[in-house]
Amino acid sequence: QVQLVESGGGLVQAGGSLRLSCAASGSILDFDSMGWYRQAPGKQRELVGLITGGGVTNYADSVKGRFTISRDNAKNTLYLQMNSLKPDDTAVYLCNALQFRRLTSRTYWGQGTQVTVSS
């Protein structure tokens, strides 16, 4: 069964950096896309960054230029490098993986890791 496990969250001051990791139990090449979402109290879950199977990345406007999503296929791990962090970045960050199929499309989620950015 597919498992996604996030790590790397924590408490950081504004302007600092964190690197989140999402380790998959199997080959991430099996996924059509992987991404990072975040959810803060009182807010809807939002897409932070996405990388397609072809390596094309997309980012939310709020994090463009500050966050970078990447992957290491050999390690079956997705990363989110978070620089110039702001208090508004405080949220639970969740790893997501998608398999787009005609009849058997699937979505997988990790448990999330807390990122707290202090002023």
Side-chain angles (χ1 to χ4, degrees):
Q1 293 182 335
V2 173
Q3 290 184 321
L4 303 173
V5 181
E6 302 97 333
S7 62
L11 175 64
V12 65
Q13 289 187 330
S17 298
L18 286 172
R19 189 192 194 194
L20 306 184
S21 298
C22 172
S25 59
S27 174
I28 61 175
L29 296 175
D30 292 338
F31 303 123
D32 291 289
S33 70
M34 297 187 73
W36 289 95
Y37 287 73
R38 67 185 181 187
Q39 188 162 22
K43 297 182 179 180
Q44 295 185 23
R45 183 176 296 180
E46 66 171 337
L47 174 67
V48 176
L50 173 72
I51 185 166
T52 70
V56 178
T57 56
N58 292 280
Y59 300 94
D61 288 341
S62 59
V63 307
K64 285 182 179 177
R66 300 189 297 119
F67 291 9
T68 303
I69 190 168
S70 62
R71 64 190 178 195
D72 188 329
N73 294 333
K75 296 181 179 180
N76 295 320
T77 301
L78 180 76
Y79 301 100
L80 182 67
Q81 180 65 48
M82 310 165 68
N83 298 327
S84 302
L85 283 162
K86 305 174 181 179
D88 285 347
D89 295 320
T90 296
V92 174
Y93 284 72
L94 302 115
C95 180
N96 168 263
L98 299 176
Q99 290 179 321
F100 295 115
R101 302 290 187 272
R102 292 186 182 275
L103 298 176
T104 58
S105 295
R106 293 182 174 89
T107 303
Y108 303 98
W109 293 94
Q111 297 299 308
T113 185
Q114 177 71 46
V115 172
T116 302
V117 184
S118 63
S119 300

